[in-house]
């Protein structure tokens, strides 16, 4: 007899699953922990910011997701940011500290391209968040701080 409750899939999770149709799925090991991930087609998402990334249980299990627009060379580093940022939400500078940690891992020849990508990602996220009915001010503040940090690199 199966006693486990059926995992809850949110509306956003349903979009992620549909947007992953025919796209890559897999696992990535970051700092000794293995996480499932899915690459999603943003054209199949409602109101997703360009170059989006996330980490959550939207699909009924904890997993990473990322837009197919993100250069595959940098997906692992973007995922590394997510898993280092989210456990510290609410702490000052959690987002910029996570990005500083990631930059220590990006190979020098790719660092400038990675930084350019991340600046685009954070700029898009700011536009997306600012357009919400009730913008999450603390999240916006952290996102802006991280963008400013990246501009100095």
């Amino acid at each position: 007899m199966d006693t486990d409750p059926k995992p809850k899939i949110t509306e956003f999770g349903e979009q992620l699953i549909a947007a992953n149709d025919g796209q890559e799925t897999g696992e990535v090991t970051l700092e000794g922990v293995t996480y499932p991930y899915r690459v999603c087609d943003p054209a199949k998402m409602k109101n997703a910011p360009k170059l989006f990334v996330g980490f959550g249980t939207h699909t009924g299990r904890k997993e990473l997701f990322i837009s197919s627009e993100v250069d595959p060379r940098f997906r692992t580093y973007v995922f590394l940011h997510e898993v280092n940022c989210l456990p510290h939400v609410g702490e000052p500078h959690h987002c910029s500290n996570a990005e500083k940690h990631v930059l220590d891992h990006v190979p020098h020849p790719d660092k400038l391209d990675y930084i350019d990508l991340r600046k685009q990602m954070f700029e898009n996220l700011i536009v997306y968040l600012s357009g919400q009915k009730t913008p999450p001010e603390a999240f916006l503040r952290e996102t802006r701080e991280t963008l400013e940090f990246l501009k100095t690199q």
Side-chain angles (χ1 to χ4, degrees), residues 58-149:
H58 307 287
T59 60
R61 67 181 186 151
K62 195 170 198 172
E63 70 181 331
L64 293 152
F65 53 91
I66 195 163
S67 169
S68 59
E69 302 163 307
V70 175
D71 187 328
R73 295 181 299 157
F74 301 128
R75 289 179 184 162
T76 298
Y77 304 113
V78 173
F79 288 153
L80 182 61
H81 172 94
E82 292 297 300
V83 301
N84 277 279
C85 181
L86 292 178
H88 301 285
V89 168
E91 297 174 17
H93 319 295
H94 69 274
C95 190
S96 58
N97 287 341
E99 199 61 30
K100 289 173 188 173
H101 175 73
V102 171
L103 287 176
D104 290 340
H105 296 278
V106 178
H108 181 72
D110 293 330
K111 197 167 279 195
L112 290 178
D113 288 341
Y114 173 80
I115 290 169
D116 285 343
L117 168 73
R118 292 302 278 164
K119 287 191 290 192
Q120 289 175 44
M121 291 178 83
F122 282 103
E123 287 166 351
N124 293 336
L125 183 57
I126 289 167
V127 169
Y128 175 78
L129 293 172
S130 297
Q132 302 296 307
K133 284 182 183 178
T134 308
E137 292 304 322
F139 191 24
L140 266 168
R141 186 172 43 258
E142 287 286 335
T143 303
R144 288 183 181 117
E145 176 186 282
T146 306
L147 177 59
E148 291 308 311
F149 161 72

Side-chain angles (χ1 to χ4, degrees), residues 17-71:
I17 292 167
N20 179 243
D21 186 38
Q23 298 288 321
E24 176 185 353
T25 59
E27 293 183 336
V28 60
T29 301
L30 304 166
E31 299 178 337
V33 180
T34 301
Y35 303 91
Y37 72 86
R38 64 179 65 232
V39 178
C40 301
D41 179 355
K44 296 179 181 178
M45 301 284 296
K46 284 194 292 188
N47 304 320
K50 188 169 175 56
L51 300 166
F52 66 87
V53 64
F55 186 38
T57 58
H58 307 287
T59 60
R61 67 181 186 151
K62 195 170 198 172
E63 70 181 331
L64 293 152
F65 53 91
I66 195 163
S67 169
S68 59
E69 302 163 307
V70 175
D71 187 328

